[in-house]
Amino acid sequence: MKTIQVNLYEFAELEARAKEKAIETDRYINVDYRWWDFIYDDFISICQTIGMTVKKESIVFEGFYSQGDGSAFKAEIDLPQLLEAVASQNWKSYAPKLELDLFLPELDRRILKLIRESKLDIDPQVIQPTRSYYVRAELNENLPYSFHGYPQIEKELDLLEKWLQQIADKLNRHLYKSLEDEYEYQTDEQAVTEAIEANDYWFTADGKKATRLESLSFKNSMETL
């Protein structure tokens, strides 16, 4: 039989280089679960304040430092509510400090009146058109027969769709930036250190986590009872 004695240390007891190694080893300790859930919930709540219904399962992202990374979501839009919400910045009732830089569309006032009175059946929505990470706003027009053949109406609806695209893009950028900021926060040295200390990990002098050694020690002690 051979007995080996190893000194173990709490994180605070490690030398600076050993701490660096311990932090780098556990750099992703805070992001190995669904860390993005509350970001999704926050985004859904923001969208609700402006008349956009987003289902959590429709939100996707890939990040954060490679070409092609991004986010996307799907949404049903209550257009009269969206117009009112943008005009009054309704999202600030939920997030007072949030700046979204949303503005009203420059549409013919007659078209705006029809929209506000829900007299245009255009079913606006935001979709993720492919597996890529971007969004597209579209109108599914179902206009009365009497509206057809009026180029001005079609022109105004094209402008409306472009405006909705700008709204969708700005929201999507906000979503992705929120995810990126949270990821960077959770993998920051301070956050990783706090997680290590909260978990009461022990380390060898060179900063290697001693979880396996503790397990073996506990198992051997139980076997000798």
Side-chain angles (χ1 to χ4, degrees):
M1 181 182 74
K2 179 183 290 187
T3 300
I4 300 176
Q5 183 174 332
V6 179
N7 293 327
L8 300 182
Y9 304 84
E10 292 181 329
F11 181 82
E13 298 175 306
L14 295 174
E15 299 291 336
R17 291 188 65 180
K19 285 182 178 179
E20 290 175 5
K21 182 174 183 177
I23 289 171
E24 200 54 42
T25 299
D26 271 329
R27 176 67 66 181
Y28 306 105
I29 188 174
N30 292 322
V31 290
D32 62 355
Y33 65 101
R34 291 181 60 87
W35 57 270
W36 54 81
D37 267 355
F38 87 94
I39 300 292
Y40 282 13
D41 291 337
D42 186 62
F43 180 72
I44 290 169
S45 295
I46 290 169
C47 289
Q48 284 177 337
T49 67
I50 60 174
M52 297 177 65
T53 302
V54 178
K55 293 183 178 180
K56 196 169 188 176
E57 59 269 22
S58 79
I59 304 174
V60 293
F61 78 95
E62 184 73 27
F64 289 96
Y65 312 112
S66 301
Q67 186 176 0
D69 287 350
S71 60
F73 64 95
K74 298 177 183 178
E76 301 295 328
I77 302 173
D78 182 326
L79 194 48
Q81 186 180 344
L82 177 59
L83 289 169
E84 174 60 31
V86 170
S88 57
Q89 297 190 347
N90 275 10
W91 66 87
K92 291 194 173 182
S93 64
Y94 172 78
K97 296 182 179 180
L98 178 60
E99 298 294 338
L100 287 178
D101 189 30
L102 305 183
F103 52 88
L104 289 172
E106 296 181 0
L107 297 177
D108 187 293
R109 58 182 178 80
R110 293 168 294 181
I111 297 296
L112 285 171
K113 186 174 185 293
L114 289 172
I115 292 172
R116 290 190 170 105
E117 294 176 354
S118 299
K119 292 182 178 179
L120 281 179
D121 185 5
I122 49 181
D123 188 26
Q125 57 185 315
V126 177
I127 66 171
Q128 180 192 10
T130 67
R131 292 185 179 273
S132 299
Y133 295 97
Y134 68 98
V135 292
R136 187 174 74 204
E138 61 179 25
L139 300 177
N140 297 310
E141 302 173 16
N142 186 23
L143 302 177
Y145 180 78
S146 59
F147 280 37
H148 291 285
Y150 290 86
Q152 185 61 28
I153 291 178
E154 295 295 333
K155 178 183 176 181
E156 293 298 310
L157 292 181
D158 286 343
L159 291 174
L160 176 62
E161 192 169 64
K162 290 178 181 178
W163 174 73
L164 288 172
Q165 183 65 54
Q166 292 174 334
I167 297 288
D169 287 338
K170 288 180 179 181
L171 288 171
N172 198 39
R173 284 196 292 270
H174 169 73
L175 170 62
Y176 187 73
K177 184 64 164 57
S178 298
L179 289 163
E180 185 176 31
D181 287 349
E182 181 63 20
Y183 181 84
E184 290 182 350
Y185 169 76
Q186 293 294 350
T187 56
D188 180 74
E189 182 175 312
Q190 181 177 344
V192 175
T193 297
E194 290 173 356
I196 289 172
E197 292 178 335
N199 282 284
D200 294 324
Y201 290 145
W202 290 86
F203 300 87
T204 57
D206 60 355
K208 291 182 180 178
K209 193 158 50 177
T211 306
R212 177 63 176 166
L213 292 175
E214 288 185 280
S215 299
L216 286 172
S217 177
F218 177 76
K219 180 179 179 181
N220 289 338
S221 64
M222 293 298 292
E223 288 175 352
T224 59
L225 293 178

